[in-house]
Amino acid sequence: MRVLVVDDDVTVRDVVCRYLEKAGYEVAVAGTGEQALAAFARRPPDLVVLDLMLPGITGLEVCRRLRRTSAVPVVMLTALGEEEHRIAGLELGADDYVAKPFSPRELVLRVASVLRRVKVAPAVSTAPVTDGDLEVDPGARKAALRGTELALTGREFDLLLFLVTHPGTVFTREQLLERVWGWNFGDQSTVTVHVRRLREKVERDPAKPERIATVWGVGYRYDPRGSR
């Protein structure tokens, strides 16, 4: 698997590259947003580790441009306390984040976790799940609404698949973080942002969701439309 590491700090790049290569990944590097986009165009990686605070084209803009044409997983690097940037990155479609200063080993684990969830085992054949005009195909990792394929990131697909296969069950954000992200710790606002993005793609009116319901004080529940 090939990882593109984007950070303007040479020391950070070197450390991250060393740990990723030790874990068996092929690594490419970029020091600016422009270099990152050029490297991606030359040879798209399997995952991007992206610092949000870059000179020139910012990491947020890089993420925005990547999402126009690709669902490649993105793990953000953010400075501790930059919650608004982290939220903005998640809203643009980033899959995960690690706050600086960070443990390189934790970053490698996060990269492995994201790639594990987007990688499809060829021997596994899972039947599509249909709910009215929504179809979710686990084998192809695709979802379509009213016959039109949805542009979902890896995490958004994972969240949708989990919810649609557990209809009527209420899950807390903590439970979703553990069951979908595979984390037993982390910022639960990650779940909130992904639910909001998912509603924008599967609900007729995201402000009045019919499928992904909020259970106030508890969490979220998927209400099937096909049975209505």
Side-chain angles (χ1 to χ4, degrees), residues 67 70-71 73 89-96 114 117-118 134 136 141-143 150-164 180-181 190-202 212:
R67 280 293 169 262
S70 173
L90 291 170
E91 288 178 335
L92 287 173
D95 296 83
D96 202 348
V114 172
R117 289 186 173 275
V118 300
L134 175 67
V136 183
R141 287 189 65 82
K142 293 181 179 180
L150 298 173
L152 300 176
T153 67
R155 289 295 191 196
E156 288 168 356
F157 180 85
D158 292 337
L159 179 58
L160 177 60
L161 179 61
F162 180 81
L163 291 173
V164 79
V180 178
W181 276 257
T190 299
V191 177
T192 305
V193 172
H194 278 77
V195 167
R196 181 163 65 244
R197 284 180 54 83
L198 201 51
R199 281 173 171 165
E200 291 172 354
K201 298 177 181 182
V202 304
I212 307 174

Side-chain angles (χ1 to χ4, degrees), residues 27-105:
V27 182
V29 299
T32 67
E34 291 87 347
Q35 292 174 2
L37 293 171
F40 189 91
R42 284 195 303 272
R43 186 181 173 192
D46 297 292
L47 181 142
V48 179
V49 174
L50 177 63
D51 182 23
L52 292 191
M53 302 302 290
L54 295 172
I57 299 177
T58 67
L60 287 175
E61 180 59 24
V62 170
C63 188
R64 181 182 290 110
R65 295 189 189 186
L66 291 179
R67 280 293 169 262
R68 289 174 184 168
T69 58
S70 173
V72 63
V74 174
V75 176
M76 301 180 295
L77 297 179
T78 67
L80 192 62
E82 289 182 341
E83 183 176 4
E84 63 181 55
H85 291 148
R86 184 167 67 246
I87 296 298
L90 291 170
E91 288 178 335
L92 287 173
D95 296 83
D96 202 348
Y97 73 90
V98 177
K100 294 181 178 181
F102 61 87
S103 160
R105 289 174 180 164

